[in-house]
């Protein structure tokens, strides 16, 4: 048994093949084989492996041999086997693990005994040859649907036969409709009703929701029924004294003080140590303006205000303008009529005073006998104005009565008279106050030509009759100088002169005039006069403008002088007497020389101290120097406000700068400009800047430190007409003005931008150095000119000497050295060429 | 005894004010209570009242600003610098001290 099993197991395991269920592999011993007649390889062979065994025999065998029987394991199978015969198959190749197997089921038996014959090949052939035939319909279930849709009669059709009474045969029949509800019992109804026994409760229902805002617009309007003004007046709350005492004594205050004090002290000290809020960028910028760098951008001169008075300035041109020395914002202009008008009409001429507060109305009028070409305020008393007329007379005004009116028109004063516009012109109060002139010089002793320049002598010295400068006791300006193209320069004095006649009382006085200078009226004569004879030729220079040095006294001041200086009282001029020459102390160090610009464009340097000639009479000496520099009339001779020895002179086309002391020539001369220059003035704040006005109405700003070949800035179209006068003025450190007047009677006040008026100390010294440099250059140049002249002279002389010698030996001597030279040269040429092996002997040599 | 203590307190306040007044450039000092009523001043009445009223509002505003940003924070000092002078305000619970200084630079 174990051998069988092992072999079965091993064979099974080794082969791995399971036998189908309908066969049972079994081993038959040789005895069994003999019994049943299925000996291996004898009865049953490979070709005939089948053997049918009778069921009864197997059962008999089992009964006989019981457990030993080989069929014992299949006992049950055999008993259950329905048929009588079982198939036993000889498994020669041990396919199922044993040498025999018993087929269990009759179907398998049939199958094994009668294996189905494979006729695949035949079938295949048949199919190809056959034509395709329609397949029988294979229903998939659609016939049910078709049947459902089909309309079949569920019952037989009902037939009704109606018959009528015989006599109605053939008569028409009428059919109609009838509603079922019309007849009773026409129909049977089976209505639905709610059965209470039966109810379904809906447990869940789907419903949808949407939220919609409910909007409602509404409006309301109020009515201000009762209008009422409401105001509140309040008074600050203040504690009474007892309350204050209480508080001061409270403990909490003490605590507060102790806690707060350190903070405060800290903050206070912090401010003193360093200014934490300073803007360092801005602070840096302030220093930039002081610098002199060439890339400076100039701002334009901005128009501050323009002044004109329609009543008086029509068809008039302005000859000169002056700022009032003390009152802020007051300008005085002198009007001049056109030439044609002057000859035809005899309307009075005026000097107009304008104030910043009222640009279209003049504040004060000074009546003049004739057109004024030049006028000046007295430096020590701004109420005295002296003017030079076109007819050569000198006019004097005193405006002390109207000074308050002028001061009242200062823009700073808060009183603004709005009413002036509403009043009629007939109202006397409205009219501009007019001041008649106080004194007029004697016609025969005045100039014969228009006075073109007037200058006050500074209060530091005065001039005696003899023309020598002397100490001025009262330190007020009482003398002035006039010049005119008639060739004379006259010195005038305001004081009462000796041996005067009784003043002529003029009965007709319509306009008020002051009595200050009554002593001078009609008989005013100059103190002395000088003429300017030409240096080399006969005739005289015709001065147009002049400049004298402003002398500041260097001597000791006595106590009296101080007292007089401090007193602000205006001395009564009529009481002043012209002192005699003996009482005055002469001043030696006054510079008595003048720079004079003439009508022909010359600059004359003269001394106004008259010299005594042999006969004891004094007459003016010849001028010291004359320079022909300018082409046209000289319109400006002005000293620099910073340097007393630098003078600017201006002709029609160019300007020149002179240094007093440098007698040879001017130190700077400008290139000629295209436009005619008509006015010039130094800047009051910067030493190297000056302004030039032109005929076309443009202003040039020159900065000598920047460039001398051209203006630093040109501002065109400042005015529409020819500029007649430019005067600068410093109102305050921030406001620097430039008054520009033109040919049409308009005064424009321009504001000088900060770049042009901010000055630094270094500029003064640098300008000085510059002028010094120019002076040195001039000297150097002149020196070189001299040297050149000398050389030229020597050369000429040398030439002169050699020339007469040469004339007899013309033929021989000139030729001999030349031939000799030629020979030398030839030899040199030879040697050189030989050196370079280039020499070819010439074809024909001209050797002698 | 009470009077002595009171005098002492008053003297302390005076002494504090003197110290502050003695600093360079101080133009005026005002002590104002929490309602804005000046208690002690070195300026004239009209200026005092004006300063007190205006600065009180400013301090309230400043303090509320600081506390709105951070409720745990509080204003300790306020300096208002203008072109001409500087106003320093030291607030406290019940009072505040205003000092007007003209910086010398």
């Amino acid at each position: 048994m174990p051998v069988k099993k092992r072999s079965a197991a091993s064979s099974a395991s080794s082969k791995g093949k399971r036998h189908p269920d309908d066969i049972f592999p079994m081993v038959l011993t040789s005895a069994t084989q003999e019994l049943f007649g299925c000996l291996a390889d004898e009865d049953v062979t490979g070709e005939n492996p089948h053997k049918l065994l009778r069921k009864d025999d197997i059962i008999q065998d089992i009964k006989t041999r019981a457990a030993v029987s080989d069929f014992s394991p299949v006992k049950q199978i055999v008993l259950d086997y329905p048929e009588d015969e079982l198939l036993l198959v000889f498994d020669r190749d041990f396919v199922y693990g044993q040498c025999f197997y018993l087929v269990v089921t009759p179907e398998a038996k049939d199958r094994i005994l009668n294996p189905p014959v494979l006729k695949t090949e035949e079938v295949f052939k048949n199919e190809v040859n056959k034509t395709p035939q329609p397949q029988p319909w294979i229903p998939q279930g659609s016939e049910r649907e078709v049947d459902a849709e089909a309309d079949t009669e569920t019952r037989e059709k009902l037939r009704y036969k109606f018959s009528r009474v015989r006599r109605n045969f053939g008569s028409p029949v009428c059919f109609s409709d009838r509603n079922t509800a019309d007849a009773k019992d026409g129909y049977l109804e089976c209505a639905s009703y709610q059965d209470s026994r039966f109810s379904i409760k809906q447990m869940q229902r789907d419903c949808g929701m949407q939220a919609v805002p409910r909007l409602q617009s509404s409006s309301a309007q109020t009515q201000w029924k009762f209008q009422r003004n409401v105001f509140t007046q309040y008074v600050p709350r203040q504690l009474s004294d007892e309350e204050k005492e209480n508080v001061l004594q409270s403990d909490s205050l003490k605590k507060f003080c102790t806690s707060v004090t350190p903070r405060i002290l800290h903050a206070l000290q912090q401010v003193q140590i360093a200014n934490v809020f300073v803007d360092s960028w801005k602070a840096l910028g302030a220093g930039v303006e002081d610098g002199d760098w060439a890339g400076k951008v100039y701002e334009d001169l901005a128009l501050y205000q323009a002044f004109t008075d329609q009543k008086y300035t029509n068809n008039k041109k302005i000859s000169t303008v002056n700022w009032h020395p003390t009152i802020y914002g007051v300008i005085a202009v002198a009007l001049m009529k056109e030439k044609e008008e002057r000859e035809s009409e005899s309307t009075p001429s005026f000097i107009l005073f304008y104030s910043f507060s009222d640009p279209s109305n003049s504040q004060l009028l000074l009546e003049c006998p004739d057109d004024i070409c030049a006028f000046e305020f007295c430096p020590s008393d701004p109420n005295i104005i002296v003017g030079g007329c076109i007819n050569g007379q000198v006019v004097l005004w005193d405006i002390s009565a109207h000074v308050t009116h002028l001061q009242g028109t200062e823009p700073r004063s808060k009183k603004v008279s709005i009413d002036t516009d509403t009043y009629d012109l007939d109202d006397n109060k409205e009219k501009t106050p007019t001041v008649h002139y106080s004194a007029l010089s004697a016609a025969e002793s005045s100039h014969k030509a228009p006075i073109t320049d007037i200058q006050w002598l500074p209060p530091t010295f005065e001039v005696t009759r003899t023309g020598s400068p002397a100490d001025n006791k009262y330190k007020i300006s009482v003398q002035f100088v006039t010049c005119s193209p008639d060739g004379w320069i006259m010195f005038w004095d305001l004081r009462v002169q000796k041996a005067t006649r009784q003043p002529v009382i003029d009965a007709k006085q319509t306009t008020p005039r002051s009595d200050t200078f009554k002593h001078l009226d009609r008989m005013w004569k100059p103190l002395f006069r000088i003429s300017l004879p030409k240096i080399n030729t006969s005739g005289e220079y015709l001065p147009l403008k002049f400049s004298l040095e402003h002398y500041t006294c260097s001597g000791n001041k006595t106590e009296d002088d101080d007292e007089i200086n401090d007193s602000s009282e205006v001395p009564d001029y009529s009481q002043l007497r012209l002192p005699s020459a003996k009482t005055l102390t002469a001043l030696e160090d006054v510079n008595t020389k003048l720079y004079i610009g003439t009508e022909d464009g010359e600059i004359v340097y003269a001394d106004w101290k008259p010299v005594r000639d042999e006969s004891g009479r004094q007459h003016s000496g010849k001028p010291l120097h004359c320079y022909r520099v300018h082409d046209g009339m000289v319109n400006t001779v002005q000293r620099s406000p910073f340097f007393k020895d630098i003078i600017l002179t201006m002709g029609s086309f160019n300007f020149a700068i002179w240094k007093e002391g440098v007698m040879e020539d001017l130190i700077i001369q400008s290139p000629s400009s295209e436009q005619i220059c008509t006015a010039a003035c130094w800047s009051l704040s910067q030493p190297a800047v000056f302004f030039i006005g032109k005929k076309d109405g443009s202003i040039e700003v020159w900065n000598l430190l920047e460039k001398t070949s051209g203006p630093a800035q040109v501002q065109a179209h400042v005015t529409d007409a020819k500029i007649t006068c430019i005067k600068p003025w410093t109102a305050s450190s921030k406001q620097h003005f430039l008054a520009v007047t033109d040919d049409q009677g308009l005064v424009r006040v321009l504001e000088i931008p900060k770049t042009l008026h901010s000055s630094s100390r270094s500029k003064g010294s640098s300008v000085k150095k510059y002028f010094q440099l120019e002076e040195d250059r001039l000297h150097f140049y002149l020196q070189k000119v001299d040297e050149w002249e000398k050389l030229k002279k020597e050369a000429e002389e040398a030439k002169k000497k050699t020339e007469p010698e040469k004339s007899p030996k013309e033929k021989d001597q000139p030729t001999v050295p030349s031939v000799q030279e030629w020979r030398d040269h030839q030899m040199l040429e030879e040697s050189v060429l030989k050196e370079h092996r280039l020499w070819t002997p010439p074809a024909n040599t001209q050797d002698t | 005894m009470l009077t002595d203590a009171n005098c002492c307190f008053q003297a302390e306040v005076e002494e504090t004010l003197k110290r502050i007044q003695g600093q360079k450039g101080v133009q005026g000092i005002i002590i104002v209570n929490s309602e804005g009523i000046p208690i002690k001043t070195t300026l004239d009445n009209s200026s005092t009242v004006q300063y007190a009223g205006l600065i009180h509002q400013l301090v309230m505003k400043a303090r509320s600003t600081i506390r709105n940003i951070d409720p745990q924070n509080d204003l300790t000092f306020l300096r208002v610098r203008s072109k001409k002078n500087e106003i320093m305000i030291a607030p406290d619970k019940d009072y505040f001290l205003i000092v007007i200084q003209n910086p010398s630079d």
Side-chain angles (χ1 to χ4, degrees):
Chain A
M1 281 299 182
V3 177
K4 278 185 200 172
K5 272 190 184 173
R6 217 187 301 121
S7 66
S10 65
S11 64
S13 64
S14 64
K15 282 189 184 175
K17 207 172 190 179
R18 303 271 315 267
H19 59 87
D21 290 331
D22 49 4
I23 59 157
F24 192 84
M26 49 196 286
V27 176
L28 295 174
T29 57
S30 51
T32 319
Q33 282 176 22
E34 276 183 30
L35 205 74
F36 282 95
C38 56
L39 287 167
D41 290 331
E42 282 186 19
D43 292 326
V44 286
T45 57
E47 292 82 20
N48 192 21
H50 305 292
K51 180 81 181 176
L52 284 163
L53 302 174
R54 286 176 56 99
K55 182 178 167 184
D56 295 329
D57 293 335
I58 296 169
I59 295 170
Q60 192 70 42
D61 184 52
I62 292 167
K63 280 181 183 171
T64 344
R65 295 198 286 170
V68 184
S69 168
D70 295 327
F71 291 102
S72 57
V74 295
K75 179 186 172 183
Q76 191 61 39
I77 295 168
V78 171
L79 287 169
D80 291 336
Y81 199 77
E83 290 185 6
D84 289 331
E85 289 187 337
L86 278 91
L87 182 63
L88 181 74
V89 181
F90 173 64
D91 193 0
R92 192 197 164 89
D93 296 322
F94 286 85
V95 174
Y96 293 113
Q98 305 297 341
C99 57
F100 287 97
Y101 63 83
L102 189 70
V103 175
V104 173
T105 59
E107 292 89 11
K109 176 177 112 182
D110 286 333
R111 201 173 58 225
I112 292 165
L113 283 176
N114 304 317
V117 178
L118 288 171
K119 289 180 183 177
T120 49
E121 289 183 8
E122 287 175 301
V123 169
F124 201 65
K125 284 179 191 170
N126 285 339
E127 275 185 12
V128 168
N129 291 334
K130 262 196 226 169
T131 54
Q133 284 180 356
Q135 299 282 345
W137 170 254
I138 302 168
Q140 298 289 344
S142 58
E143 75 271 10
R144 282 202 298 265
E145 283 176 20
V146 172
D147 289 342
E149 293 296 315
D151 215 359
T152 55
E153 293 174 356
T154 48
R155 62 174 167 80
E156 222 180 64
K157 282 197 181 102
L158 292 173
R159 279 195 217 165
Y160 290 98
K161 188 175 178 186
F162 298 95
S163 63
R164 290 192 291 184
V165 179
R166 193 174 170 98
R167 59 168 180 269
N168 286 337
F169 273 17
S171 60
V173 179
C174 178
F175 286 111
S176 64
D177 290 329
R178 188 193 71 178
N179 205 354
T180 48
D182 293 340
K184 231 175 36 174
D185 302 333
Y187 64 98
L188 264 175
E189 191 182 23
C190 185
S192 64
Y193 64 98
Q194 187 148 10
D195 196 354
S196 57
R197 299 171 293 167
F198 186 70
S199 71
I200 300 174
K201 201 170 171 189
Q202 191 170 16
M203 299 302 287
Q204 195 178 20
R205 181 170 56 175
D206 288 330
C207 70
M209 289 178 68
Q210 183 176 7
V212 171
R214 212 186 287 182
L215 296 172
Q216 188 182 15
S217 63
S218 69
S219 64
Q221 182 164 3
T222 59
Q223 280 176 327
W224 194 12
K225 285 184 195 148
F226 184 35
Q227 296 185 5
R228 186 181 8 186
N229 278 334
V230 176
F231 57 90
T232 314
Q233 183 164 3
Y234 56 89
V235 139
R237 272 186 304 175
Q238 282 178 356
L239 297 174
S240 67
D241 286 334
E242 301 97 43
E243 285 173 329
K244 278 193 192 167
E245 281 291 323
N246 283 340
V247 168
L248 278 173
Q249 290 164 7
S250 67
D251 201 13
S252 59
L253 187 71
K254 175 191 162 212
K255 275 192 215 156
F256 162 72
C257 280
T258 46
S259 70
V260 138
T261 310
R263 278 181 261 168
I264 286 277
L265 286 174
H266 172 75
L268 284 171
Q269 281 158 7
Q270 204 179 45
V271 171
Q272 280 151 27
I273 294 168
N275 185 5
V276 291
F277 297 106
V278 70
D279 188 359
S280 35
W281 175 247
K282 254 196 201 161
L284 188 69
V288 169
E289 290 167 80
D290 290 347
D292 242 355
W293 38 283
K296 227 194 301 198
V297 172
Y298 282 109
E299 296 163 12
D300 274 348
L301 299 162
L303 181 65
Y304 184 77
Q305 253 181 334
F307 299 94
T308 181
D309 190 338
Q310 295 303 327
K311 286 184 277 187
Y312 302 106
T313 56
N314 281 333
N315 291 335
K316 296 231 175 96
K317 56 178 184 171
I318 297 178
S319 55
T320 184
V321 67
N322 263 321
W323 292 88
H324 196 286
T326 49
I327 303 177
Y328 170 83
V330 173
I331 314 175
V333 292
L335 296 173
M336 245 168 75
K337 296 192 271 278
E338 302 289 332
K339 263 196 187 151
E340 307 83 36
E341 270 188 40
R342 216 180 297 141
E343 285 150 17
S344 55
E345 293 172 28
S346 55
T347 49
S349 329
F350 292 106
I351 290 181
L352 300 178
F353 275 72
Y354 288 111
S355 165
F356 275 179
S357 59
D358 194 359
S360 51
N361 287 318
S362 49
Q363 303 302 321
L364 192 63
L365 295 176
L366 300 182
E367 205 180 304
C368 332
D370 212 342
D371 285 338
I372 298 284
C373 293
F375 71 96
E376 286 287 336
F377 287 91
C378 174
S380 54
D381 182 6
N383 293 333
I384 311 291
I385 300 161
V386 69
C389 280
I390 227 172
N391 58 3
Q393 285 180 302
V394 175
V395 192
L396 203 61
W397 291 275
D398 183 4
I399 57 166
S400 32
H402 301 273
V403 163
T404 46
H405 174 73
L406 276 179
Q407 277 168 342
T409 61
E410 268 186 79
R412 284 204 206 107
S413 66
K414 291 188 180 160
K415 280 188 274 174
V416 176
S417 55
I418 316 161
D419 304 331
T420 49
D421 291 341
T422 57
Y423 282 152
D424 294 323
L425 286 171
D426 296 329
D427 197 352
N428 267 337
K429 287 186 219 164
E430 159 56 23
K431 252 175 84 175
T432 327
T434 315
V435 178
H436 196 71
Y437 53 87
S438 307
L440 190 63
S441 66
E444 58 277 358
S445 31
S446 310
H447 287 283
K448 305 292 177 288
I451 295 177
T452 50
D453 203 1
I454 276 188
Q455 297 268 351
W456 284 90
L457 283 181
T460 45
F461 71 99
E462 63 175 67
V463 178
T464 63
R465 265 187 181 283
T466 54
S468 47
D471 193 19
N472 187 339
K473 224 167 41 162
Y474 293 103
K475 297 284 178 251
I476 50 170
S477 290
V478 287
Q479 297 177 331
F480 56 92
V481 189
T482 61
C483 84
S484 158
D486 63 353
W488 291 98
I489 294 182
M490 297 190 183
F491 283 70
W492 303 75
D493 196 303
L494 290 179
R495 296 171 290 193
V496 175
Q497 297 168 352
K498 283 190 237 173
T500 53
R501 293 174 300 185
Q502 286 296 316
V504 174
I505 302 163
D506 200 352
K508 304 173 205 170
Q509 277 191 37
T510 49
T511 49
R513 64 153 100 173
S514 68
D515 298 334
T516 336
F517 296 106
K518 238 190 193 154
H519 54 275
L520 294 172
D521 202 15
R522 302 299 161 101
M523 64 195 70
W524 199 8
K525 276 199 284 193
L527 208 56
F528 68 95
R529 60 174 95 182
I530 60 171
S531 69
L532 303 166
K534 287 204 179 170
I535 299 175
N536 297 325
T537 57
S538 65
E540 285 176 345
Y541 294 115
L542 308 172
L544 286 181
K545 298 273 178 188
F546 66 93
S547 155
L548 46 79
E549 189 180 320
H550 186 98
Y551 172 73
T552 50
C553 74
S554 56
N556 309 328
K557 268 193 191 174
T558 61
E559 283 176 4
D560 296 332
D561 294 347
D562 284 337
E563 272 178 24
I564 291 163
N565 272 339
D566 291 340
S567 68
S568 53
E569 288 175 19
V570 174
D572 196 2
Y573 290 99
S574 53
Q575 300 305 317
L576 291 174
R577 292 279 184 275
L578 198 69
S580 64
K582 299 165 209 145
T583 56
L584 294 169
T585 51
L587 290 173
E588 300 299 325
D589 50 351
V590 174
N591 187 4
T592 59
K593 302 193 181 48
L594 296 169
Y595 271 92
I596 300 157
T598 68
E599 215 174 33
D600 299 322
E602 298 145 337
I603 304 292
V604 178
Y605 189 58
D607 192 341
W608 46 261
K609 220 168 159 179
V611 291
R612 284 191 181 276
D613 65 354
E614 307 83 29
S615 59
R617 274 188 311 162
Q618 51 179 6
H619 68 87
S620 45
K622 286 215 169 184
L624 303 165
H625 292 274
C626 167
Y627 309 95
R628 288 209 71 99
V629 174
H630 300 295
D631 301 319
M633 296 195 297
V634 175
N635 55 44
T636 307
V637 177
Q638 194 185 18
R639 272 177 210 256
S640 166
F642 293 91
F643 307 105
K644 57 181 187 181
D645 54 351
I646 301 288
I647 297 117
L648 170 73
T649 61
M650 177 101 186
S652 295
F653 292 100
N654 57 357
F655 69 84
I657 294 188
W658 309 79
K659 190 163 179 177
E660 198 161 2
V662 177
M663 287 300 111
E664 297 85 2
D665 205 354
L666 47 84
I667 53 173
I668 298 165
Q669 186 174 13
S670 81
S672 293
S673 67
E674 294 152 1
Q675 287 280 331
I676 296 179
C677 311
T678 48
C681 70
W682 286 97
S683 156
L684 290 179
S685 52
Q686 282 196 341
V689 174
F690 53 92
F691 303 94
I692 292 179
K694 294 229 156 116
K695 193 179 172 194
D696 63 351
S698 60
I699 288 186
E700 282 182 0
V701 177
W702 284 72
N703 187 346
L704 289 174
L705 287 176
E706 220 173 272
K707 55 174 173 171
T708 54
S709 56
Q713 183 188 1
V714 178
Q715 192 160 342
H717 305 299
V718 175
T719 67
D720 302 321
K722 181 174 89 166
I723 292 180
T724 49
C725 191
I726 301 182
K727 284 275 165 73
W729 189 49
T730 308
S732 64
S733 63
K734 297 262 169 69
Q735 278 186 319
H736 291 245
F737 295 118
L738 196 68
V740 176
T741 61
D742 63 6
D743 241 0
Q744 291 176 344
L746 204 67
V747 183
R748 284 185 179 80
V749 172
L750 306 171
E751 196 162 346
I752 302 179
K754 210 165 176 202
T755 48
L756 282 176
H757 70 68
S758 63
S759 59
S760 60
R761 261 180 240 144
S762 63
K763 277 200 182 137
S765 59
S766 54
V767 173
K768 238 185 175 168
K769 274 189 218 160
Y770 174 72
F771 286 131
Q772 188 63 41
L773 205 72
E774 288 293 324
E775 195 190 325
D776 294 338
R777 179 200 67 85
L778 179 71
H779 285 303
F780 176 73
Y781 172 71
L782 291 171
Q783 200 185 349
K784 281 290 165 197
V785 164
D786 286 335
E787 282 177 15
W788 181 245
E789 290 282 317
K790 275 188 204 158
L791 280 174
K792 237 176 147 180
K793 271 187 181 167
E794 282 171 9
E796 273 185 28
E797 281 168 17
K799 221 179 168 184
K800 279 178 190 166
K801 279 183 200 162
T802 52
E803 266 191 30
E805 289 174 5
K806 269 189 181 171
S807 44
K809 293 175 189 173
E810 249 179 70
K811 282 184 186 173
D812 298 339
Q813 286 203 343
T815 52
V816 166
S818 61
V819 169
Q820 185 60 40
E821 279 174 22
W822 169 243
R823 279 205 187 130
D824 291 336
H825 170 72
Q826 260 201 319
M827 276 163 53
L828 177 67
E829 195 185 347
E830 238 183 86
S831 59
V832 165
L833 287 175
K834 270 182 185 162
E835 229 181 85
H836 291 277
R837 296 189 200 110
L838 293 170
W839 186 62
T840 52
N844 20 330
T845 47
Q846 221 177 22
D847 267 334
T848 50
Chain B
M1 236 189 42
L2 196 65
T3 51
D4 283 347
N6 287 346
C7 290
C8 174
F9 288 165
Q10 206 167 7
E12 278 224 28
V13 170
E14 290 287 340
E15 189 219 317
T16 309
L17 289 188
K18 269 211 188 72
R19 264 174 73 194
I20 298 175
Q21 184 85 30
Q23 292 284 330
K24 196 162 74 146
V26 171
Q27 279 173 344
I29 309 170
I30 308 169
I31 300 181
V32 184
N33 76 347
S34 52
E35 291 178 356
I37 308 173
I39 292 175
K40 186 129 179 77
T41 174
T42 60
L43 301 170
D44 58 289
N45 196 29
S46 54
S47 311
T48 302
V49 156
Q50 194 179 22
Y51 267 106
L54 294 168
I55 288 176
H56 170 69
Q57 294 172 34
L58 185 67
V59 168
M60 288 303 124
K61 195 71 181 175
R63 185 181 266 157
S64 73
T65 307
I66 299 287
R67 294 194 76 130
N68 272 338
I69 292 168
D70 181 9
Q72 315 219 318
N73 208 352
D74 196 8
L75 185 69
T76 52
F77 204 80
L78 190 63
R79 278 169 94 158
V80 181
R81 178 99 173 191
S82 74
K83 263 199 252 185
K84 294 190 183 166
N85 48 21
E86 185 171 354
I87 305 169
M88 290 177 235
I89 305 139
D92 199 52
K93 196 157 58 74
D94 303 319
Y95 309 91
F96 50 94
L97 177 71
I98 304 167
V99 177
I100 303 144
Q101 189 199 29
N102 193 6
S104 47
D105 45 356

